[in-house]
């Protein structure tokens, strides 16, 4: 059994002391040889307090740190002490005979803070335990051997310029590997080593703040601040570590735009078209990004009429461009003002405004070689027809705007006057006729006149000249058409037999009224009357014809196919018609040999007209002659016939609908072998009319 157990700690050069030792208590009830109660002994477990070993000790090795001793050990050498657990045999060793514990090497608390061990006393001969094993702990006592470090450093932070004092920038944090529960080895204090007076740091929290107001980014944009962390509460002898904080001032719109010069001068050639770039203007703004965006405008109306200004795609430059065509001869310079304004204004900095600036602009218009300019955009001239060549038509004029005294040469482009009807005087621009003109052949002539500077043939311009040929009464009247007039031999004197019209190719305003004259004298068979109410006569005739047609329309019956208003010649007229003309041509009889009969077909040869008998004109004899020619001419259809054909064409399944030359059954209804229903949908209505069965008689 365990007796007295002692743990000795050597006080060698800063080593720690042992804890309390709790020995087993003894209770005596009596003693041998004396009457009384027997001696009672109560067994107790070991009670080990924690004890410490100072880390990083650099003394001689091995170092005695304690001693084990049991009351069963009477110094006879029969007791053996054993040590097991963490580091036993390597870090810690025990003398089996004496129980002395030694540490074999320097310990680091940051590597391992404590060790758990088992102590036991056994019989050296039999290894029989003399006491139960008991656990104890050896703690490595910390010393200040680790400086603070910033694991996240170096740091980068951003704070707006013009920030107020005390504005938080960033928080830095340092770590100390020493034991924070023992002493001040891990108690840190923060200070600013570099960066004063612009920034400060909270000693306990490490929060970096601005220390002065109105820090201007345009003056200094970036600051390097050095922060130190020191342990031992910042006292002397403490270890320290440092880090850097790069602080960048972000931009705010605290600067208005400013033109670097008060006057800008540009020049532009007068031929520059709308949209041509004249120049660039830039108002300087030290701000960045959107805070430096600007809009430009022209303040004076004089400049805004001829020029316009816009902002480029970067939002920084003003682009001055031509707005309307310029003319050096009418105006040679423009003067106006341009304003630049920030598009985004922060209300917090209005006191630093106004955020706009004005500059003066002068634009000089440069002269450019220009082609001659005509006095008119187009010319319209007139000349009477039939005039002799060389007749003056008119004059055109052009001038050199750059040098009005410079001579101009005129010419007519050949493709505009292919017939060479006109000529132009090269120096004066007068146009003359080169050939007689006929209005009835051509009324309008479209010429293209070219004006060229003599000093520079490349400077030329064109103009359209339209010449109208005026009419003169130079054409005799002509009959509107050839007339072949017939008259009946029974015509009464004074009867109207023909209306004759005459045409005049000249314009109505230039030609007099056309008059007619007929045969004169007592032997004249015809008279001609010059009637100026000719249109009324035509109207009356047309009205009469319309009324006649209206009567026929009232008497119209839809079933009628032929309207025949002549009785004919009876049996003597049977040869006048061929009934086969009204039937299907496929079923017509073949034509008899010889000259064609009186049919409605073209003759093979036309009968020649007999010449007019010589001598005085006899109207009766002439009419008889013409009547005989008409009777003998087979090409003339009979005047009492109407050509009506009852042939529908080929390809119909039902054949011809005409009753001529076709048989029919009683009642006119097709037989059962050919029902109307089989003819298809086109004859459905006809089938319903003729194919319906009559109801049976009652």
């Amino acid at each position: 059994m365990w007796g007295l157990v002692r743990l000795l700690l050597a006080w060698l050069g800063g080593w720690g002391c042992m804890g309390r030792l709790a020995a087993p208590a003894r209770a005596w009830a009596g003693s041998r040889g004396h009457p009384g109660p027997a001696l009672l002994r109560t067994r107790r477990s070991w009670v080990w307090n924690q004890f410490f070993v100072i880390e990083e000790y650099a003394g001689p090795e091995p170092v005695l740190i304690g001693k084990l001793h049991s009351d069963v050990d009477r110094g006879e050498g029969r007791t053996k002490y054993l040590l097991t657990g963490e580091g036993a045999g390597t870090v810690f060793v025990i003398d089996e005979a004496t129980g002395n514990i030694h540490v074999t090497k320097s310990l680091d608390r940051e590597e391992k803070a404590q060790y758990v061990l088992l102590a036991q006393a056994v019989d050296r001969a039999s290894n029989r335990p003399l006491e139960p094993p008991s656990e104890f702990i050896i703690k490595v006592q910390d010393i200040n051997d680790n400086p603070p470090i910033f694991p996240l450093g170096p740091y980068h932070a951003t704070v707006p310029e013009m920030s107020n004092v005390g504005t938080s920038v960033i928080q830095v944090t340092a770590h100390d590997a020493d034991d924070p529960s023992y002493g001040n080895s891990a108690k840190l204090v923060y200070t600013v080593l570099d960066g004063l007076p612009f920034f400060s740091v909270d000693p306990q929290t490490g929060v970096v703040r601005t220390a002065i107001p109105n820090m201007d980014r345009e003056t200094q944009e970036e600051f390097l601040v050095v922060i130190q962390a020191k342990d031992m509460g910042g006292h002397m002898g403490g270890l320290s570590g440092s880090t850097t904080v790069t602080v960048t001032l972000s931009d705010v719109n605290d600067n208005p735009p400013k033109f670097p010069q008060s006057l800008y001068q540009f020049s532009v050639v007068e031929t520059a078209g709308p949209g041509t770039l004249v120049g660039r203007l830039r108002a300087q703004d030290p701000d960045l990004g959107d805070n430096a965006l600007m809009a430009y405008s022209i303040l004076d109306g004089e400049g805004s009429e001829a020029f316009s200004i816009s902002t480029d795609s970067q939002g920084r430059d003003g682009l001055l461009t031509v707005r309307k065509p310029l003319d050096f001869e009418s105006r040679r310079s423009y003067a106006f003002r341009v304003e630049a304004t920030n598009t985004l204004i922060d209300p917090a900095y209005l006191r630093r405004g106004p955020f706009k600036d004005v500059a003066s602009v002068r634009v000089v218009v440069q002269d450019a070689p220009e082609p001659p300019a005509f006095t008119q955009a187009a010319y319209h001239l007139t000349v009477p027809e039939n005039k002799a060549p060389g007749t003056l038509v008119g004059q055109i004029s052009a001038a050199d705007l750059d040098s009005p005294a410079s001579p101009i040469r005129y010419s007519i482009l050949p493709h505009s006057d292919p017939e060479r009807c006109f000529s132009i005087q090269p120096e004066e621009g007068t146009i003359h006729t080169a050939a007689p003109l006929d209005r009835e052949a051509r009324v309008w002539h479209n010429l293209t006149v070219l004006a060229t500077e003599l000093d520079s043939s490349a400077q030329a311009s064109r103009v359209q000249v339209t010449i109208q040929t005026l009419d003169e009464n130079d054409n005799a009247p002509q009959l509107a058409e050839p007339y072949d007039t017939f008259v009946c031999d029974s015509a009464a004197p004074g009867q109207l037999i023909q209306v004759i019209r005459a045409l005049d190719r000249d314009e109505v305003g230039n030609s007099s009224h056309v008059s007619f004259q007929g045969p004169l004298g007592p032997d004249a068979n015809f008279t001609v009357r010059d009637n100026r109410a000719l249109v009324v006569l035509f109207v009356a005739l047309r009205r009469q014809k319309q009324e006649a047609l209206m009567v026929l329309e009232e008497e119209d019956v839809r079933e009628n196919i032929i309207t025949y208003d002549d009785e004919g010649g009876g049996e003597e007229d049977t040869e006048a018609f061929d009934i086969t003309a009204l039937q299907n041509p496929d079923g017509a009889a073949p034509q008899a040999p010889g000259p064609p009969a009186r049919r409605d077909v073209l003759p093979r040869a036309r009968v020649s007209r007999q010449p007019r008998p010589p001598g005085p004109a006899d109207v009766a004899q002439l009419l008889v002659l013409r009547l005989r020619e008409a009777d003998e001419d087979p090409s003339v259809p009979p005047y009492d016939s109407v050509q009506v054909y009852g042939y529908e064409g080929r390809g119909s399944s039902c054949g011809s609908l005409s009753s001529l030359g076709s048989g029919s059954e009683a009642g006119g209804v097709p037989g059962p072998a050919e029902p109307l229903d089989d003819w298809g949908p086109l004859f459905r209505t006809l089938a319903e009319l003729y194919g319906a069965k009559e109801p049976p008689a009652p």
Side-chain angles (χ1 to χ4, degrees):
M1 296 178 62
W2 280 96
L4 177 63
V5 180
R6 297 176 181 176
L7 179 64
L8 301 177
L9 295 177
W11 288 83
L12 300 174
W15 286 84
C17 61
M18 73 174 182
R20 293 185 301 165
L21 175 63
R26 295 180 178 180
W28 295 90
S31 62
R32 297 178 181 179
H34 297 277
L39 179 61
L40 298 178
R41 185 177 183 180
T42 304
R43 180 191 178 106
R44 289 187 180 180
S45 301
W46 286 7
V47 178
W48 295 87
N49 286 339
Q50 295 182 359
F51 63 94
F52 303 89
V53 177
I54 298 177
E55 67 171 337
E56 303 293 346
Y57 179 72
E61 298 181 350
V63 179
L64 178 64
I65 62 173
K67 183 176 182 179
L68 293 177
H69 185 74
S70 174
D71 57 357
V72 299
D73 184 6
R74 300 186 183 275
E76 300 174 350
R78 297 175 58 186
T79 304
K80 183 173 64 173
Y81 296 95
L82 301 177
L83 185 66
T84 60
E86 294 179 338
T90 56
V91 179
F92 305 100
V93 295
I94 189 170
D95 190 332
E96 296 179 351
T98 63
N100 293 332
I101 301 175
H102 295 80
V103 60
T104 62
K105 63 179 182 179
S106 176
L107 302 180
D108 187 2
R109 189 201 67 85
E110 288 73 35
E111 182 179 345
K112 189 172 180 61
Q114 66 180 18
Y115 297 86
V116 180
L117 299 171
L118 289 174
Q120 190 175 18
V122 299
D123 184 83
R124 182 178 295 276
S126 62
N127 284 333
R128 181 178 58 86
L130 300 177
E131 294 285 350
S134 183
E135 181 182 280
F136 68 96
I137 297 175
I138 299 178
K139 281 195 173 182
V140 182
Q141 183 178 344
D142 183 49
I143 63 173
N144 189 18
D145 60 342
N146 292 280
I149 62 172
F150 293 88
L152 301 180
Y155 296 86
H156 295 270
T158 301
V159 64
E161 63 173 333
M162 299 296 170
S163 296
N164 297 326
V165 175
T167 301
S168 177
V169 179
I170 195 174
Q171 183 179 15
V172 297
T173 303
H175 293 281
D176 196 318
D178 294 328
D179 188 0
S181 63
Y182 181 78
N184 294 327
S185 298
K187 186 177 181 180
L188 305 180
V189 174
Y190 298 94
T191 57
V192 176
L193 296 183
D194 192 7
L196 296 174
F198 305 103
F199 299 94
S200 64
V201 65
D202 189 287
Q204 282 73 39
T205 62
V207 175
V208 180
R209 302 179 185 274
T210 58
I212 62 173
N214 300 327
M215 285 190 293
D216 190 7
R217 185 199 65 82
E218 289 73 30
T219 302
Q220 183 175 350
E221 183 177 5
E222 190 174 273
F223 297 84
L224 184 64
V225 182
V226 180
I227 305 296
Q228 181 192 67
K230 188 175 184 180
D231 59 12
M232 300 299 291
H235 292 91
M236 184 179 297
L239 302 178
S240 64
S242 62
T243 187
T244 59
V245 180
T246 303
V247 181
T248 303
L249 299 182
S250 61
D251 184 62
V252 298
N253 191 8
D254 59 337
N255 295 280
K258 182 70 176 178
F259 284 105
Q261 58 193 71
S262 59
L263 176 63
Y264 291 84
Q265 295 191 16
F266 302 100
S267 61
V268 60
V269 68
E270 63 175 334
T271 55
T276 302
L277 180 64
V278 178
R280 287 175 175 260
L281 295 86
R282 170 175 284 195
Q284 296 180 352
D285 191 334
D287 295 325
L288 300 177
D290 294 343
N291 297 323
L293 297 180
M294 281 173 283
Y296 295 87
S297 60
I298 297 177
L299 299 181
D300 304 311
E302 177 186 69
S304 60
E305 294 178 357
F307 303 94
S308 61
I309 191 170
S310 60
T311 309
D312 67 350
S313 59
Q314 304 298 325
R316 303 300 298 270
D317 292 354
L319 306 180
L320 186 64
T321 57
V322 178
R323 185 174 184 179
K324 69 175 184 179
L326 305 175
D327 186 13
F328 171 81
E329 287 69 29
S330 60
R331 186 164 187 173
R332 301 189 176 187
S333 65
Y334 294 84
F336 50 89
R337 296 181 302 159
V338 172
E339 181 182 73
T341 307
N342 277 139
T343 57
L344 298 177
I345 299 177
D346 192 342
Y349 303 99
L350 287 177
R351 68 185 186 277
R352 303 180 66 88
F355 289 85
K356 59 183 178 181
D357 195 21
V358 177
S360 298
V361 177
R362 184 173 183 268
V363 180
V364 177
V365 181
Q366 295 180 344
D367 189 22
E370 296 179 274
F374 288 94
T375 57
Q376 300 180 22
Y379 292 85
H380 177 226
L381 306 177
T382 59
V383 61
E385 63 175 335
N386 300 323
K387 292 297 183 179
T391 301
L392 177 64
V393 178
Q395 183 179 14
I396 61 174
S397 177
D400 185 359
L401 300 180
D402 301 326
S403 178
S406 177
I408 304 297
R409 182 178 181 85
Y410 302 92
S411 61
I412 299 176
L413 296 183
H415 71 272
S416 64
D417 186 21
E419 299 177 356
R420 302 296 189 269
C421 296
F422 302 92
S423 63
I424 188 171
Q425 209 282 332
E427 290 78 17
E428 299 179 358
T430 54
I431 299 178
H432 300 79
T433 60
L437 304 178
D438 185 5
R439 189 202 68 85
E440 288 72 30
R442 186 174 180 182
V443 179
W444 298 95
H445 298 267
N446 298 316
L447 306 181
T448 300
V449 176
L450 184 67
T452 307
E453 297 181 7
L454 290 180
D455 299 337
S456 176
S457 59
Q459 300 297 329
S461 57
R462 303 179 181 185
V463 70
Q464 294 295 322
V465 179
T466 303
I467 300 177
Q468 181 182 4
T469 305
L470 301 180
D471 184 54
E472 290 187 351
N473 191 11
D474 59 341
N475 291 280
Q478 299 176 354
L479 293 179
E481 58 182 286
Y483 292 96
D484 194 0
T485 306
F486 299 90
V487 64
C488 298
D489 55 355
S490 60
Q495 180 178 348
L496 177 63
I497 61 173
Q498 182 69 52
V499 177
I500 300 176
R501 296 182 57 196
L503 301 178
D504 194 330
R505 297 176 59 191
D506 296 323
E507 292 183 350
V508 177
N510 293 333
S511 59
S512 59
H513 178 70
V514 178
S515 60
F516 296 87
Q517 292 183 357
L520 301 177
D523 296 334
N525 295 323
F526 300 95
T527 59
V528 177
R529 180 181 302 174
D530 189 1
N531 188 1
R532 299 188 181 184
L534 183 58
V535 177
V536 176
L537 177 61
F538 282 128
V539 172
L541 292 176
R542 180 174 298 177
R543 184 178 299 120
Q544 292 177 4
K545 185 173 183 59
Q546 182 67 22
E547 292 176 355
L549 291 176
M550 291 175 63
V551 173
L552 292 177
E553 290 176 358
E554 293 177 356
E555 297 177 357
D556 181 25
V557 180
R558 294 298 176 180
E559 288 78 11
N560 290 347
I561 298 178
I562 300 176
T563 300
Y564 193 75
D565 197 17
D566 194 350
E567 294 180 357
E571 295 180 357
E572 298 178 358
D573 198 33
T574 56
E575 296 297 329
F577 296 94
D578 186 0
I579 196 65
T580 58
L582 302 178
Q583 297 179 351
N584 191 332
D586 295 339
Q591 184 176 356
R598 186 67 177 271
R599 301 177 182 178
D600 295 331
V601 296
L602 293 176
R604 297 180 179 176
R606 185 176 181 88
V607 179
S608 60
R609 176 172 293 187
Q610 298 182 4
R612 181 176 177 178
D618 188 352
V619 177
Q621 184 180 359
L622 180 60
L623 291 178
V624 172
L625 179 61
R626 295 292 182 248
L627 181 59
R628 185 183 304 113
E629 292 177 354
D631 291 340
E632 296 177 355
D633 190 357
S635 63
V636 179
Y639 293 101
D640 55 353
S641 66
V642 178
Q643 299 183 28
V644 179
Y645 295 90
Y647 176 60
E648 296 82 14
R650 300 178 179 87
S652 175
S653 60
C654 61
S656 176
L657 296 180
S658 174
S659 61
L660 299 178
S662 62
S664 63
E665 299 182 2
V669 181
E674 191 179 9
L676 293 177
D677 295 336
D678 297 340
W679 290 1
L682 296 178
F683 299 94
R684 182 178 302 166
T685 304
L686 184 63
E688 293 175 355
L689 293 176
Y690 292 96
K693 298 181 179 180
E694 297 182 357

